[in-house]
Amino acid sequence: MPRGHCRGQWWWRGRVYGCGYRLTAGREAILGLLSTSKEHMSAEDIYMKIHTAYSNVGLTTVYRTLELLSDLGMICKLDFGDGRARYELAEGVQGVRHHHHLVCTGCNRVVEYTDFIDKEVELLKETEKGLEEKYHFKITGHVIQFSGLCDRCSCK
Amino acid sequence: MPRGHCRGQWWWRGRVYGCGYRLTAGREAILGLLSTSKEHMSAEDIYMKIHTAYSNVGLTTVYRTLELLSDLGMICKLDFGDGRARYELAEGVQGVRHHHHLVCTGCNRVVEYTDFIDKEVELLKETEKGLEEKYHFKITGHVIQFSGLCDRCSCK
DNA sequence: ATTAGTAATGGAAACCATTTTCAATAAGGA
DNA sequence: TCCTTATTGAAAATGGTTTCCATTACTAAT
C-alpha cells in the first residue's frame, strides 16, 4: 500500500468505521492535530488547540477519544514522568517510524531518537521471544526510555 | 566490601547520615520493609504495613521518605501504568541485581527478569554513550519494560 | 543540662489529571 | 419518519500525591 494513500481522513475513516465507531468532528480534529503536530501533547494541550476551532468539543470528549484511538492502536499513550499522559501517532500510522524517547528530567524536553534502533529492535525481538517462552506471556508492548539532563539543564 | 556488611541499619545509617539526613524510626521501618519484601509496593501498601507496628507514622511521611530515598539513589520509583507509583531497592543496594520488568496488563502481575540482561546492558551502554554525544545529554537512568498478558489472563 | 536552631512529623486541606454520572443530542438503519 | 444506539458536554466525583502549618524531635553549641 503506497504511503501516499495512508494519509488524511480517508484512512482514519476506514479504520474507525471498520471497528464500528463513528468518525465525528471532534475525533477527526484530534486525529488531524496529532498527525500534523510534532510535539507530544497532553489531553489538555489537545483540548486547548482543538477548542479554538471547535469550541463545542469538551475536555471529556478529548479524553474519551484518546482512549478510543489508543484502544484501536492508532495512537500511543506515553508517560514522561511529569504526571500527565502524552500522545503520539502509533508506529506505522502515517509512516511513523519505530523510535524511542530521551527525556530531560530538568526541563521535560523530549528527544525522539531513531539511532541504534536496528540493534535495539533486534534485541527486543529476541528478548520478547525469550520472555514469552519462559514466562508464558503474550507480549504486546514495550517501553524503552532514557532520562537525564540536557545540555542547558546540566549547566545550571 | 563483603556483602554481609552491606545489610541492615548500619549500612543505611551511614548513607543517610552521610548526606546530612537523620535516620528516624519511620525511615528505618520503610527501608527495612523494602529490603525484606519482594513485592513492588505502593506508598499506601507501605503505609499499611508500617502502620501496624509504627502507628504514629503517617502517609505523608511515607511519601516524603520515599522521595528522599529516591533522591539519595537508594530506591527506585517504578511505574507499571496503574496510576500509582511502586518502589524497590535500587540496583547495587543489598545485592540487588540489574533487572527489568514484565507487566501483565490484565492482572498487573509483575515479573522481574534478569534474562538477556548482559546483552541488554551492553546495548544500553552503547546507546547511552551514543545519545550523550549526539544530543548532549547527561544520561542518568533508563526504563526498559515489557507489557502483555500472562498465561492466566490470556486464557480469558 | 539548657538553649537555640533546624529537621522531621502528621493531619487536614489542597491539588490536579483523569473518570464517572447523567441528561441531552446526533447519527444510522429499518 | 421512528427507533435504537453512539456520542456528547458540564458538573461532580475520584484518588494518588503534595502542600500547609503548627507541633515535636534532634543536634550542636553553650
Side-chain angles (χ1 to χ4, degrees), chain A residues 30-62:
Chain A
I30 291 172
L31 272 165
L33 182 55
L34 281 171
S35 71
T36 53
S37 170
K38 280 175 185 168
E39 313 155 63
H40 299 94
M41 286 177 292
S42 68
E44 181 134 25
D45 292 337
I46 293 169
Y47 169 69
M48 294 302 226
K49 298 215 174 184
I50 295 285
H51 203 258
T52 62
Y54 302 81
S55 61
N56 52 332
V57 173
L59 183 55
T60 309
T61 294
V62 173

Side-chain angles (χ1 to χ4, degrees), chain B residues 2 58 76 86 96 101 104 152:
Chain B
C76 282
R86 313 267 165 172
V96 174
H101 299 104
C104 175
R152 284 196 293 268

Side-chain angles (χ1 to χ4, degrees), chain B residues 79-98:
Chain B
D79 171 28
F80 296 145
D82 66 342
R84 69 189 61 192
R86 313 267 165 172
Y87 299 85
E88 68 178 15
L89 281 192
E91 189 182 330
V93 175
Q94 294 231 7
V96 174
R97 299 284 200 80
H98 191 101

